[in-house]
Amino acid sequence: DLSNRNQTQLNQLLNKILEVVNHERLIDNQTLFVTCSMGVALYPKDGSNFNELFKASDTAMRHLKGTRKNSFNFYTEDYHIERVNRVKMINELRKSIDNNELYMLYQPIYDMSDMTLNSFEALIRWKSPTFGQVAPNIFIDYAESTNLISYIDEFVFATCLKLRRKWHDFGDHSTVLSINLSSKGLVDSSFMHIVERLCLEHYYIPKGIQIEITETALISNFDLAKEHLTRLKRLGFIIALDDFGAGYSSLTYLHQLPIDCMKIDRSFSLNPGINNNQDLILQAILDLAHKLKLKVVAEGIETDKQKNFFLDMDCSLGQGFLFAKPEEEELANQRIIDRLEKN
């Protein structure tokens, strides 16, 4: 271990490197500002040879980039444990996909003005043998860093097309089933062929299926994403922009993409009526949506106050724990049947 004196000297050296790198540079009449991120591994604590030290420092740097930039970060044993768990979780996820152990839940979306069922969002879930119930954002992130995400996307589409066909056979022709498409799936040309094949296999024209995409998915390759969304729209899918208002470029997408629906990011639901500026932004978003004839869904509705706030804003569709948590297919089917019987 480093003595306090050596640690201070090392920190001074690392800060000096940052200081040297962090200067404006004039190149071709363009002013550029360079930043620096450094991962630091110590011999022999973090590795006994170059390869071990390189892996440790690279791990430390990747953690740094996820939290802050233009700084340095020391490798710790926790990073090693996390890396081992990541590899183990990815291996378990691969086995779970092969063994059909992933499953879907469905969260209802209601018209809050009269509490009639409007649609469902399909949500994928995974219970790991070792780690228990894994948050979707974690295992989807792992899947996107490998080639596993294409299998998950195909599973989701196949499951939901089959379910929507079942509702069609019940006699339901209006309830929309919403699917989340991964950022990699959106720009994967081969996956578009898979979607077309699945539609044929399940004998369903997907006019009752909505595909949700995020701004993150669009940023990676906008031109290809636009081409694929247009293709999906031609097939009959409804297109929704999820987490609207959370990013920086959402407004520009509304006139460039075949968007039918926007889902308002749950951050607008947290403290309704408290932040006047936020409320004004929300009202402007809703006014714009109405003028563009877009359907709007408010996410994260957990209290009557939130529900009434959005109703006052002329946003009637809501999704959240106030109405229902994500539920298994049997309960979703029963909601469809109950509504059909009432009508």
Side-chain angles (χ1 to χ4, degrees), residues 161-280:
L161 280 165
K162 182 179 179 181
L163 178 58
R164 190 61 192 82
R165 173 69 195 192
K166 181 186 290 187
W167 294 352
H168 178 85
D169 293 341
F170 285 166
D172 176 81
H173 306 296
S174 61
T175 306
V176 172
L177 181 56
S178 200
I179 301 174
N180 291 283
L181 177 58
S182 72
S183 56
K184 283 199 171 183
L186 179 59
V187 295
D188 182 356
S189 297
S190 63
F191 186 68
M192 295 299 109
H193 294 296
I194 291 173
V195 172
E196 291 168 347
R197 172 177 58 79
L198 290 173
C199 291
L200 292 172
E201 283 182 6
H202 296 285
Y203 305 103
Y204 185 70
I205 299 172
K207 60 182 179 180
I209 300 281
Q210 176 172 278
I211 295 177
E212 295 188 22
I213 51 145
T214 62
E215 183 177 321
T216 306
L218 296 168
I219 289 172
S220 63
N221 189 333
F222 180 79
D223 290 337
L224 192 55
K226 180 179 179 180
E227 177 188 328
H228 289 170
L229 286 175
T230 303
R231 188 170 169 182
L232 291 168
K233 177 84 169 179
R234 277 198 226 104
L235 282 172
F237 288 99
I238 304 163
I239 309 298
L241 187 55
D242 197 13
D243 301 332
F244 191 89
Y248 300 100
S249 306
S250 299
L251 285 174
T252 65
Y253 298 137
L254 293 181
H255 70 89
Q256 296 185 57
L257 299 173
I259 303 295
D260 303 291
C261 171
M262 66 167 68
K263 299 189 75 174
I264 302 295
D265 184 67
R266 63 182 57 247
S267 62
F268 287 97
S269 305
L270 293 178
N271 297 298
I274 293 178
N275 186 325
N276 188 53
N277 286 339
Q278 178 173 290
D279 294 347
L280 287 172

Side-chain angles (χ1 to χ4, degrees), residues 3 40 52 58 69 72 93 102 123 192 204 265 269 313:
S3 66
V40 186
E52 290 178 356
D58 182 61
K69 294 183 179 181
F72 54 85
L93 179 59
L102 298 176
L123 301 162
M192 295 299 109
Y204 185 70
D265 184 67
S269 305
M313 287 274 193

